[in-house]
Amino acid sequence: MPHGALQTELYPFERVTVLVSCALSFLGSSLLVGTHALWPELRTRPRQLLLYLSLADLLSAASYFYGALKDFGSSTWECVAQGAVSTFSNTSSFFWTMAIALYLYISIVQGSPTGTSLLCFFHVVSWGVPLVITVLAVILKKIGYDASDVSVGWCWIDIEAEDRILWMLLAGKLWEILAYVTLPVFYILIKKHINRAGIGNTFQGGANCIMFVLCTRVVRNKLLSSLCCWRSSSPEHSLASPESRSQGPDSATKDWGDAQEGDRARAEFS
C-alpha cells in the first residue's frame, strides 16, 4: 500500500557508490570466510570471532545491495524482508565487533582464561539480541518503507511510525553509537598494555578484509604462496629450466616456515 511520505530523490552516483561499496564489502567478507576455511592453522579464537563478524557483514552487504538495486517504493513483503535481514545482520555486526574488542581486552590486558563459556556468551548476545529486536520490529510492523529518507533505496524503519526514532535507535543506531564509544577505549587500553609489555556500514566487510587479510602478513604470505603455486602449475611455468624447478621446493619450504613462525607469534592478536 503506498505511503503518504514523499520519496527522497536518489541521484545515480549515490546508488552506484552504495552498490560498489556493498559489492566490495561482500567480496571482502567472502575472502575472510574463505581464508578461514582454507587454512585450519589460522583458526585461532580471535579469528573465529572474526569469522562470525564476517558472516554478519556478508549478509548485511547482500541485503543493502538488493535494497539499493530494487529501490522500494512501498512496504511490500520484499521490503519488509530486506529491512528485517539488514536490521538483524547490521546490528549483529556491531555486537560481534564489540565482542572481539572485549575478547582481546580480557585475554591480553587482564590475562584471564577465555574458554568456551565466553564464546557461548558472545553467540547468545551477538545473535540473540539482534534477532529479538528484529522479530519484535516485524511483529509490531515497525520495519517498512522509509521513503529513502534515511537510506539509499533500501527499507528499514517505517518512516510513518510515530515512535520511529526509538526504533531507529534499537534497530541499529544505539549499538552503533555504543560501539564508537567503547571500541576506542578498549583498543587504547590494549595498546597501552602492549607498549608497557614491550580496526561505514556498507563497506565494513571490505575494511575488515583490508585489516585482517591484506594487512596481515601471515595471511598475505599464504595468499601469495597459493597464487605462486597456481602460476607454477600453468603451462608457461612447466617449460621452465630444470635449475629453476629444482629451486622451487626449497623456496616454498622456506616461505612456509616463515609463515608458520609468524603465525605462532601473532596467533592471539591477529
Side-chain angles (χ1 to χ4, degrees):
M1 181 177 65
H3 281 226
L6 296 177
Q7 185 174 11
T8 301
E9 181 182 2
L10 296 180
Y11 297 100
F13 78 90
E14 292 179 312
R15 185 170 301 167
V16 170
T17 300
V18 170
L19 291 175
V20 171
S21 178
C22 290
L24 292 175
S25 181
F26 186 90
L27 291 175
S29 298
S30 299
L31 184 56
L32 280 162
V33 175
T35 56
H36 185 89
L38 187 60
W39 295 305
E41 64 273 15
L42 294 180
R43 297 173 189 172
T44 60
R45 183 55 58 80
R47 285 193 170 272
Q48 287 181 351
L49 301 179
L50 182 61
L51 171 66
Y52 306 131
L53 171 61
S54 300
L55 292 174
D57 288 338
L58 192 150
L59 189 61
S60 178
S63 64
Y64 283 136
F65 185 93
Y66 180 77
L69 189 64
K70 188 76 173 179
D71 189 15
F72 294 102
S74 62
S75 293
T76 62
W77 71 266
E78 284 185 290
C79 168
V80 175
Q82 180 272 317
V85 171
S86 63
T87 297
F88 168 76
S89 57
N90 197 44
T91 306
S92 178
S93 177
F94 287 123
F95 274 96
W96 279 114
T97 302
M98 291 188 288
I100 293 175
L102 180 59
Y103 173 86
L104 293 176
Y105 175 79
I106 292 174
S107 60
I108 295 176
V109 177
Q110 294 188 345
S112 303
T114 52
T116 56
S117 59
L118 182 62
L119 182 60
C120 292
F121 172 76
F122 287 154
H123 277 294
V124 171
V125 174
S126 299
W127 298 124
V129 174
L131 182 61
V132 170
I133 293 174
T134 303
V135 170
L136 288 176
V138 172
I139 293 176
L140 297 175
K141 298 182 179 181
K142 302 302 179 181
I143 293 180
Y145 177 63
D146 64 3
S148 299
D149 194 49
V150 292
S151 68
V152 186
W154 63 77
C155 292
W156 188 35
I157 302 300
D158 193 328
I159 197 65
E160 292 188 342
E162 294 182 359
D163 52 353
R164 60 184 177 275
I165 300 299
L166 173 62
W167 279 98
M168 285 178 184
L169 289 172
L170 291 176
K173 293 304 178 182
L174 174 63
W175 316 114
E176 183 177 357
I177 295 171
L178 183 62
Y180 289 153
V181 173
T182 58
L183 289 178
V185 175
F186 278 126
Y187 286 115
I188 289 173
L189 293 175
I190 292 171
K191 183 65 175 177
K192 289 177 63 178
H193 179 82
I194 293 176
N195 288 338
R196 287 197 302 266
I199 127 150
N201 293 353
T202 58
F203 190 62
Q204 186 165 347
N208 290 336
C209 176
I210 292 173
M211 285 193 300
F212 297 105
V213 174
L214 303 181
C215 292
T216 302
R217 187 168 64 89
V218 177
V219 183
R220 188 173 64 247
N221 286 346
K222 288 182 177 292
L223 288 174
L224 292 176
S225 178
S226 299
L227 179 61
C228 291
C229 291
W230 176 80
R231 291 184 60 189
S232 65
S233 63
S234 63
E236 293 80 0
H237 284 78
S238 63
L239 300 177
S241 63
E243 292 79 10
S244 62
R245 289 197 299 269
S246 64
Q247 293 174 359
D250 292 337
S251 176
T253 302
K254 183 177 182 299
D255 291 341
W256 176 259
D258 292 342
Q260 287 290 86
E261 181 180 356
D263 186 34
R264 288 192 296 269
R266 295 166 174 81
E268 280 304 316
F269 190 69
S270 63

